[in-house]
């Protein structure tokens, strides 16, 4: 939810929505702490090998989910910076970001479903999506440099775009981990 809200902030920054992103992320932090503590205590019990393995997977996954919410904060902060400085992406950058956002939503939704359903067949779709996202990331950066050379974009927007792209790519990495 925090991630989806942060995506919307790139197009239409609303302080109330940014506050919701921060609130959700704080809740995710608390959940990670509480669940992690519980799982570590549970791991000290006499568990079967299978249960111990499942517990380890859950511990790693909750860490990845928490890091995804951290990236929602990073995206929100980029959107806030754009709003505060009255900046906006070029039309082409917006179009590219829309495609990239769709890919990120796909990989996140797939990863959540894989985790919830423990669907190993569906899990096989995540890594190819992550590779597409890596390619999109590189392509958008290359196109930004071309726009920069043509004077259609600014260095300042390039830094913001780079921050957003880095967050997107890292979200995809965490989905791959999940």
């Amino acid at each position: 939810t925090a991630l989806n809200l942060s995506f919307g902030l790139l197009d239409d920054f609303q302080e109330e929505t940014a506050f919701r992103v921060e609130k959700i992320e704080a809740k995710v932090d608390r959940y990670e702490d509480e669940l992690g503590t519980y799982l570590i205590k549970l791991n000290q019990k006499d568990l079967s090998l299978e249960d111990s393995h499942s517990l380890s997977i859950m511990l790693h996954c909750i860490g990845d989910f928490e890091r995804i919410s951290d990236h929602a904060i990073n995206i929100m902060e980029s959107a806030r910076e754009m709003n505060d400085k009255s900046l906006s992406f070029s039309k082409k950058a917006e179009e590219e970001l829309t495609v990239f956002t769709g890919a990120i939503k796909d990989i996140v939704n797939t990863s959540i479903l894989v985790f919830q359903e423990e669907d190993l067949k569906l899990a096989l779709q995540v890594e190819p999506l992550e590779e597409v996202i890596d390619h999109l990331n590189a392509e958008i950066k290359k196109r930004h440099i071309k726009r920069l050379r043509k004077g259609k974009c600014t260095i300042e927007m390039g830094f913001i775009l780079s921050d957003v792209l880095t967050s997107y790519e890292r979200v995809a990495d965490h989905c791959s981990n999940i």
Side-chain angles (χ1 to χ4, degrees), residues 11-58:
D11 294 325
D12 180 27
F13 187 84
Q14 301 292 321
E15 196 58 53
E16 182 179 310
T17 305
F19 179 72
R20 282 187 61 208
V21 171
E22 292 171 329
K23 222 173 142 178
I24 292 167
E25 201 283 325
K27 190 183 285 189
V28 171
D29 283 349
R30 194 177 80 244
Y31 288 167
E32 181 200 24
D33 288 344
E34 291 177 15
L35 287 168
T37 300
Y38 174 75
L39 291 173
I40 288 168
K41 284 180 183 175
L42 193 59
N43 197 35
Q44 295 169 351
K45 304 291 180 191
D46 190 25
L47 301 174
S48 70
L49 193 57
E50 184 180 337
D51 286 344
S52 182
H53 181 71
S54 293
L55 199 135
S56 177
I57 289 170
M58 281 187 253

Side-chain angles (χ1 to χ4, degrees), residues 3-15:
L3 191 62
N4 285 326
L5 289 171
S6 71
F7 294 148
L9 290 170
L10 291 169
D11 294 325
D12 180 27
F13 187 84
Q14 301 292 321
E15 196 58 53

Side-chain angles (χ1 to χ4, degrees), residues 112-128:
I112 289 170
L113 198 55
V114 165
F115 180 78
Q116 289 172 333
E117 304 294 326
E118 297 181 23
D119 186 335
L120 297 179
K121 189 175 178 183
L122 186 60
L124 295 174
Q125 295 178 23
V126 174
E127 193 58 32

Side-chain angles (χ1 to χ4, degrees), residues 41-156:
K41 284 180 183 175
L42 193 59
N43 197 35
Q44 295 169 351
K45 304 291 180 191
D46 190 25
L47 301 174
S48 70
L49 193 57
E50 184 180 337
D51 286 344
S52 182
H53 181 71
S54 293
L55 199 135
S56 177
I57 289 170
M58 281 187 253
L59 265 170
H60 286 283
C61 287
I62 62 172
D64 284 305
F65 285 124
E66 190 281 326
R67 285 180 199 83
I68 289 171
S69 75
D70 288 342
H71 292 296
I73 291 288
N74 296 345
I75 295 164
M76 178 272 297
E77 288 171 346
S78 292
R80 177 178 279 139
E81 181 181 355
M82 288 172 54
N83 182 67
D84 290 350
K85 295 178 178 178
S86 299
L87 300 171
S88 60
F89 292 119
S90 68
K91 196 71 175 153
K92 279 290 185 192
E94 277 183 17
E95 291 169 4
E96 293 166 1
L97 207 51
T98 297
V99 171
F100 203 178
T101 300
I104 295 299
K105 287 179 180 180
D106 284 348
I107 197 169
V108 168
N109 291 335
T110 302
S111 298
I112 289 170
L113 198 55
V114 165
F115 180 78
Q116 289 172 333
E117 304 294 326
E118 297 181 23
D119 186 335
L120 297 179
K121 189 175 178 183
L122 186 60
L124 295 174
Q125 295 178 23
V126 174
E127 193 58 32
L129 278 171
E130 199 275 331
E131 289 174 17
V132 167
I133 286 164
D134 285 346
H135 176 75
L136 273 172
N137 187 28
E139 189 63 32
I140 291 172
K141 285 179 179 179
K142 190 166 46 173
R143 290 179 183 180
H144 167 71
I145 290 168
K146 285 181 183 177
R147 286 191 296 271
L148 195 57
R149 286 183 182 146
K150 292 179 180 178
K152 295 181 179 182
C153 195
T154 65
I155 295 277
E156 188 169 23

